[in-house]
Amino acid sequence: MGSAMGEWNHRRQRWAARGALAAVALAALLPLVSGGLKGLLLLLAGLVGLALTAAALWWILSRRGPARMAAAVLAVVAPVGVITLFAAANLIWVVFASLLLWCLAVWSGRYALRSTGLRPMRVKEYRTPPPQRPFILLNPRSGGGKVGKFSLKEKAEELGAQVVLLDPDHHQDVTALAKAAVADGADLLGVAGGDGTQAMVAAVAAEHGLPFLVISAGTRNHFAMDLGLDRDDPSTCLDALTDGVELRVDLGFADGRPFVNNASFGVYGAVVQSPGYRDDKVGAALERLPELLTRQSGPRLTASADGTTIADPQAVLVSNNAYRMDDPFGFGRRERLNSGKLGVLAVRVDSAVEAAELLLSPRPEGLTVLTAQHVVVDADEPHLEVGLDGEALTLPAPVHCRIARRALRVRVPRNRPGVPEAPPRMDWRRLRKLAAAVGRTAAPARSRRS
């Protein structure tokens, strides 16, 4: 019975792979079959339109004044023009049919790859007793006032926590406050605030081997998202004080400065320094980008990641574990927080042609994506502007980035939304092998834990 069921599953996997390849072929051939030579010309026009749109976006970011306005017009006119050409040829339906076929191909391909039984590594949960003397810092301004909106101070105190409400009008050293709490006997440190504040207190918790509580009261809460916490109601994070488990995750450092998400060098590191960045991120970026992208200002960077040298990128992002780059629905998420590897993303674009390649090519030369345990970012200037979990810093060059594997004990609620399982990466070569297979091709379904 089990053997027959296994063979049925393998057969479904093979046919799903064949369906994915067939859908891709139909999506590519449909414009040619439906329109003949006209369809081929329209397909080429579509590719040109995409390239022009990508180039226009580059000019918008790297130019000022009339040139920027003209590029903005081109970014609208190019795709509209392509759609108009297809409509005039009564082939607009072909565009939508091809898109549907591509969606079918991706869905069927992922089904085939998912059915191989290969699963992402899951973070192991550790059962530990609840803390007796938890200490929690709350930033009342974080996330537009979520601390007050969700009554976090009152709820935390009801659960026995010592709470310090940060003064929004005066700078306070949260690292010093956390160390003082440890000296006073705290057995858990928690923070409701932005990821930059989270990182500073997390470093103290890791140094003293104490559990760390993340309360998702920040604006974006990227770290909370990758921990699977509820970002809509931060008060649910307090459930970890009474009914929680621990996760052992990594912590990144840039010259001794901790980060839970990433350290940004180059373009973003410079933009985040702008005085008006907090109030108008788009305006501040558009003001600084033309000089930064065309290298009229800012340092010339060189990055070294475990022996791999990246020369002269405009931007380098070093992350605490790698971000997903292959899935638009999971873009910006991390599959793991305990791999012991830094993610490295470097971008170099010096022309509109390279900008088009960056968006259209599956393997653009201007994009470097890799992982490493140690990353060094150097410059031709003595100091580097860095965005560390969104906080603006200036550090002496070179900056050494490292990762402390599973150094942080994060206490989370036992019942939480969790991290959605990432779909498998689309591997067309593997799909071809699955489609051509005649025997068993799938490994037994299993979940691996680390």
Side-chain angles (χ1 to χ4, degrees):
M1 180 68 177
S3 176
M5 183 62 69
E7 184 58 37
W8 167 246
N9 289 333
H10 302 149
R11 192 157 47 243
R12 287 194 303 175
Q13 172 191 339
R14 291 195 297 273
W15 281 108
R18 292 166 183 169
L21 296 176
V24 166
L26 285 174
L29 292 174
L30 191 58
L32 304 180
V33 173
S34 302
L37 179 60
K38 184 188 296 184
L40 176 60
L41 294 176
L42 287 174
L43 185 60
L44 293 175
L47 294 175
V48 171
L50 286 174
L52 284 175
T53 303
L57 292 175
W58 164 258
W59 288 321
I60 289 172
L61 298 176
S62 61
R63 300 294 186 269
R64 296 183 185 277
R68 174 176 283 175
M69 295 299 297
V73 172
L74 179 60
V76 175
V77 169
V80 171
V82 170
I83 293 173
T84 302
L85 286 175
F86 273 88
N90 294 319
L91 291 176
I92 193 69
W93 67 271
V94 173
V95 177
F96 292 105
S98 294
L99 289 175
L100 287 175
L101 285 169
W102 271 104
C103 292
L104 176 62
V106 171
W107 178 85
S108 184
R110 282 180 169 168
Y111 175 83
L113 294 172
R114 184 181 288 114
S115 65
T116 60
L118 299 177
R119 295 290 185 266
M121 301 289 284
R122 298 183 181 276
V123 179
K124 184 177 181 179
E125 297 180 354
Y126 296 86
R127 302 280 181 175
T128 57
Q132 300 301 308
R133 299 190 63 184
F135 174 81
I136 298 177
L137 288 166
L138 303 178
N139 183 350
R141 282 188 177 175
S142 186
K146 289 182 180 179
V147 168
K149 179 181 178 181
F150 291 93
S151 305
L152 296 181
K153 181 177 184 296
E154 295 75 13
K155 291 178 180 179
E157 289 177 338
E158 288 174 5
L159 294 172
Q162 179 188 353
V163 177
V164 171
L165 199 64
L166 297 175
D167 187 345
D169 297 321
H170 298 87
H171 172 74
Q172 292 172 276
D173 188 338
V174 295
T175 299
L177 291 172
K179 289 183 176 181
V182 173
D184 197 38
D187 59 356
L188 175 142
L189 300 177
V191 178
D195 288 325
T197 306
Q198 297 273 3
M200 289 186 283
V201 179
V204 177
E207 179 185 354
H208 294 276
L210 296 179
F212 177 63
L213 176 66
V214 176
I215 303 174
S216 56
T219 303
R220 289 173 293 273
N221 299 293
H222 289 299
F223 189 47
M225 174 179 69
D226 291 330
L227 288 169
L229 300 177
D230 188 342
R231 295 189 295 164
D232 296 323
D233 184 359
S235 66
T236 60
C237 299
L238 294 171
D239 294 342
L241 294 177
T242 54
D243 185 19
V245 294
E246 286 187 11
L247 312 176
R248 308 290 166 83
V249 304
D250 304 336
L251 189 61
F253 290 89
D255 274 1
R257 303 272 189 151
F259 60 90
V260 293
N261 291 326
N262 55 65
S264 298
F265 305 85
V267 171
Y268 179 77
V271 169
V272 77
Q273 312 285 331
S274 303
Y277 177 77
R278 294 298 175 190
D279 299 324
D280 184 10
K281 292 180 173 60
V282 174
L286 290 176
E287 178 64 27
R288 293 291 309 275
L289 283 176
E291 286 75 24
L292 293 169
L293 292 177
T294 56
R295 306 183 190 277
Q296 298 176 51
S297 67
R300 307 296 287 255
L301 302 179
T302 301
S304 176
D306 284 355
T308 299
T309 300
I310 306 168
D312 212 17
Q314 281 118 323
V316 177
L317 180 78
V318 181
S319 59
N320 175 19
N321 287 258
Y323 289 105
R324 285 204 68 158
M325 301 295 296
D326 64 328
D327 179 21
F329 299 104
F331 187 81
R333 285 183 175 271
R334 290 167 286 184
E335 290 183 343
R336 297 182 62 186
L337 289 172
N338 65 349
S339 69
K341 292 289 187 71
L342 296 165
V344 182
L345 172 65
V347 178
R348 175 176 177 172
V349 181
D350 290 313
S351 68
V353 173
E354 292 180 1
E357 181 191 11
L358 188 66
L359 292 181
L360 300 179
S361 172
R363 294 183 179 178
E365 291 186 6
L367 179 66
T368 302
V369 181
L370 50 85
T371 59
Q373 291 181 319
H374 187 236
V375 179
V376 180
V377 182
D378 205 351
D380 60 353
E381 296 182 4
H383 292 86
L384 275 170
E385 294 175 320
V386 186
L388 203 65
D389 282 340
E391 302 294 327
L393 294 176
T394 300
L395 299 176
V399 177
H400 294 258
C401 300
R402 64 178 180 88
I403 192 164
R405 189 178 190 194
R406 305 184 188 186
L408 186 61
R409 299 167 52 193
V410 181
R411 189 168 182 88
V412 297
R414 184 172 56 85
N415 295 314
R416 59 193 186 280
V419 180
E421 182 175 327
R425 303 175 191 275
M426 287 299 294
D427 187 338
W428 296 104
R429 180 179 299 177
R430 180 166 176 76
L431 281 174
R432 288 196 298 270
K433 291 181 179 179
L434 293 176
V438 294
R440 293 198 171 195
T441 59
R446 65 187 183 276
S447 293
R448 295 186 295 173
R449 300 178 67 91
S450 63

